[in-house]
Amino acid sequence: MNTVNLSFKDLVRDPRLLLAFGFGSGLSPKAPGTFGTIAALPFVFLLQASPIYIYLAVLVIGFAIGVYLCEHASKVMGVHDHGGIVWDEFIGMWLAMLAVPLGWQWLLAGFILFRIFDIAKPWPIGWLDKKVSGGFGIMIDDVLAGLYALLILQLAAFYLR
């Protein structure tokens, strides 16, 4: 398999690729990271309905699995952090919404903030993106983007109550 010929059929043959490519959302020819983040949104509702310890466990386990998935997909694709690998966007978006008030406005704000930080890569996100390789490197910049978005959302929630 290579980046030119990768199809949804290829993803179905390897469940690790299916997850790494966000159930196919990473196959989008334009803005796969944004489409991956959109695909992560329905899971936010499930996570927010869960006890906080379940939400945190999903994040930790999802990160650990993500390191493996992203490393595998990167090797299969022959490209470090191929744009179609979007499991990192799932974890980053889920992290951004941790313990955030419920409501579409909060979800929209979280989505926008996460995408801004993921794309702009302010320090140290951009530095880590360039210096850390492998599955961990693919995951860590999105985790930090999610943490930045989470911080702003939590500050907004605190001051708007």
Side-chain angles (χ1 to χ4, degrees):
M1 286 182 259
N2 60 46
T3 58
V4 176
N5 297 331
L6 195 62
S7 68
F8 188 74
K9 191 174 179 180
D10 295 321
L11 299 184
V12 173
R13 285 189 193 122
D14 186 344
R16 298 168 296 180
L17 291 177
L18 184 65
L19 288 174
F21 275 73
F23 305 101
S25 61
L27 292 175
S28 171
K30 301 236 188 223
T34 298
F35 280 95
T37 305
I38 291 168
L41 295 178
F43 297 96
V44 170
F45 294 109
L46 294 172
L47 290 167
Q48 287 183 327
S50 303
I52 193 74
Y53 67 91
I54 298 288
Y55 198 137
L56 289 168
V58 168
L59 286 173
V60 170
I61 293 166
F63 177 81
I65 290 171
V67 170
Y68 169 74
L69 294 173
C70 293
E71 178 77 22
H72 172 72
S74 182
K75 286 180 179 174
V76 168
M77 302 300 292
V79 178
H80 174 70
D81 205 359
H82 180 274
I85 300 171
V86 296
W87 184 257
D88 49 335
E89 271 80 11
F90 274 60
I91 299 301
M93 184 65 208
W94 296 348
L95 180 57
M97 298 306 297
L98 177 66
V100 171
L102 301 175
W104 69 267
Q105 300 92 336
W106 290 100
L107 189 64
L108 179 61
F111 174 82
I112 291 168
L113 286 168
F114 173 68
R115 291 309 300 145
I116 287 170
F117 288 124
D118 189 30
I119 292 166
K121 300 192 184 312
W123 191 88
I125 298 171
W127 181 83
L128 287 169
D129 187 48
K130 290 181 178 100
K131 299 291 183 186
V132 183
S133 61
F136 183 81
I138 294 170
M139 292 292 298
I140 196 63
D141 65 309
D142 289 81
V143 167
L144 282 180
L147 282 173
Y148 282 17
L150 175 63
L151 177 63
I152 291 174
L153 291 169
Q154 290 298 333
L155 287 170
F158 178 79
Y159 286 107
L160 293 175
R161 289 183 195 197

